[in-house]
């Protein structure tokens, strides 16, 4: 089945540790996105990428890093510089250039907590 | 002021009632409008996607867009307990990025 796979489902981070969240899609979508969801705040954009080897900062990129070495994969690293990383992280993807914005499709998220 | 405003609720209705959800926005550059449903501990699932002003119907769901008032709505007819979820409005300015409302939590009581 086509879709977006995020792993792990739950992740715990120790003080000073970097952790990486995985996002893989087999929808042949061009663009991929990372969002952070906190209670009562909706989804906020962290980073996005519209083409391999290129990505842009979203609204809350500080303390995060990404890479886009393959079209199918867009991993997110939460660095030790991110002082409040506890949140639900969502990955999304969409196709580009089909006569307008297409809706984004989401994975089932990774819940990150501090140990 | 946020670009997209959505009342977080919570909203509780009896089974069979009509659920009415809405969002307002401040930027007239928004052109594409979406409603997502999100169950607990899951990712958002696309329910409705519209481009123009007017109504769009899909089964028990109706989406309305009023660009002149910068107001969008989602109606759920004959609501079921399985409709209990958080509903997120989202919109785009043709830049392939989405702006989201905070989400409204809905409970349908059996």
């Amino acid at each position: 089945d086509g879709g977006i796979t995020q792993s792990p489902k739950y992740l715990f981070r120790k003080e000073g540790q970097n952790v990486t969240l995985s996002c893989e899609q087999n929808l042949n979508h061009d663009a991929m996105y990372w969002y952070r969801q906190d209670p009562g705040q909706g989804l906020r954009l962290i980073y996005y990428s519209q083409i391999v080897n290129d990505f842009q900062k979203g609204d809350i990129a500080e303390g995060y890093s990404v890479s886009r070495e393959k079209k199918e994969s867009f991993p997110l690293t939460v660095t030790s510089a991110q002082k409040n990383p506890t949140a639900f992280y969502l990955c999304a993807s969409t196709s580009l250039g089909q006569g307008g914005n297409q809706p984004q499709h989401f994975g089932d998220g990774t819940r990150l907590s501090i140990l | 002021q946020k670009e997209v405003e959505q009342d977080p609720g919570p909203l509780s209705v009896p089974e069979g009632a009509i659920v009415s959800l809405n969002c307002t926005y401040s930027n007239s550059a928004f052109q594409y409008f979406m409603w997502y449903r999100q169950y607990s501990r899951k990712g958002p699932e696309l329910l409705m996607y519209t481009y123009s002003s007017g109504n769009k119907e899909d089964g028990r769901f109706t989406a309305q867009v009023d660009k002149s008032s910068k107001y969008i709505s989602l109606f759920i007819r004959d609501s079921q307990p399985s409709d209990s979820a958080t509903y997120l409005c989202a919109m785009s300015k043709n830049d392939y990025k989405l702006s989201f409302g905070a989400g409204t939590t809905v409970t349908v009581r059996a």
Side-chain angles (χ1 to χ4, degrees):
Chain A
D1 275 14
I4 300 172
T5 301
Q6 290 188 242
S7 62
K9 199 170 180 65
Y10 299 96
L11 188 58
F12 297 91
R13 195 191 89 168
K14 294 181 182 178
E15 204 69 42
Q17 187 182 40
N18 292 355
V19 292
T20 297
L21 285 60
S22 170
C23 178
E24 303 276 333
Q25 54 98 0
N26 60 4
L27 300 166
N28 198 33
H29 282 169
D30 308 289
M32 297 186 74
Y33 305 80
W34 275 105
Y35 293 92
R36 170 180 171 138
Q37 187 174 30
D38 296 279
Q41 292 197 43
L43 276 67
R44 292 182 291 167
L45 182 63
I46 304 172
Y47 268 99
Y48 65 103
S49 167
Q50 296 184 342
I51 194 169
V52 173
N53 292 324
D54 188 43
F55 46 83
Q56 285 76 42
K57 292 181 179 180
D59 302 316
I60 55 165
E62 187 174 347
Y64 300 96
S65 66
V66 293
S67 62
R68 185 91 186 273
E69 296 177 2
K70 298 186 301 182
K71 187 176 182 179
E72 304 80 25
S73 178
F74 191 40
L76 173 75
T77 296
V78 183
T79 74
S80 56
Q82 173 49 247
K83 296 307 178 189
N84 184 22
T86 297
F88 191 45
Y89 290 87
L90 288 159
C91 179
S93 69
T94 189
S95 54
L96 302 178
Q98 294 190 7
N101 278 204
Q102 297 299 307
Q104 293 178 17
H105 299 270
F106 286 82
D108 273 340
T110 293
R111 186 164 299 279
L112 176 62
S113 302
I114 294 292
L115 274 181
Chain B
Q1 185 189 5
K2 293 181 182 177
E3 275 194 315
V4 181
E5 298 279 359
Q6 182 178 7
D7 186 342
L11 190 61
S12 179
V13 300
E15 184 175 357
I18 295 175
V19 176
S20 174
L21 305 165
N22 57 75
C23 289
T24 58
Y25 60 96
S26 56
N27 194 328
S28 58
F30 286 125
Q31 299 180 34
Y32 302 89
F33 304 91
M34 283 140 271
W35 285 95
Y36 287 87
R37 177 176 63 195
Q38 185 177 24
Y39 291 116
S40 182
R41 290 185 281 277
K42 291 287 194 180
E45 168 194 10
L46 180 69
L47 278 178
M48 301 289 279
Y49 169 64
T50 58
Y51 170 65
S52 57
S53 283
N55 291 2
K56 181 176 181 180
E57 195 171 312
D58 184 0
R60 296 184 296 112
F61 298 93
T62 299
Q64 285 185 351
V65 174
D66 183 345
K67 287 187 177 180
S68 62
S69 301
K70 299 189 182 69
Y71 186 91
I72 68 171
S73 301
L74 177 72
F75 299 96
I76 308 173
R77 291 183 300 281
D78 187 25
S79 58
Q80 305 295 310
S82 58
D83 295 325
S84 298
T86 296
Y87 291 82
L88 299 157
C89 65
M91 45 198 79
S92 176
K93 304 170 196 168
N94 201 28
D95 59 356
Y96 300 106
K97 294 192 291 182
L98 293 181
S99 295
F100 285 85
T104 301
T105 299
V106 174
T107 300
V108 180
R109 308 185 306 272

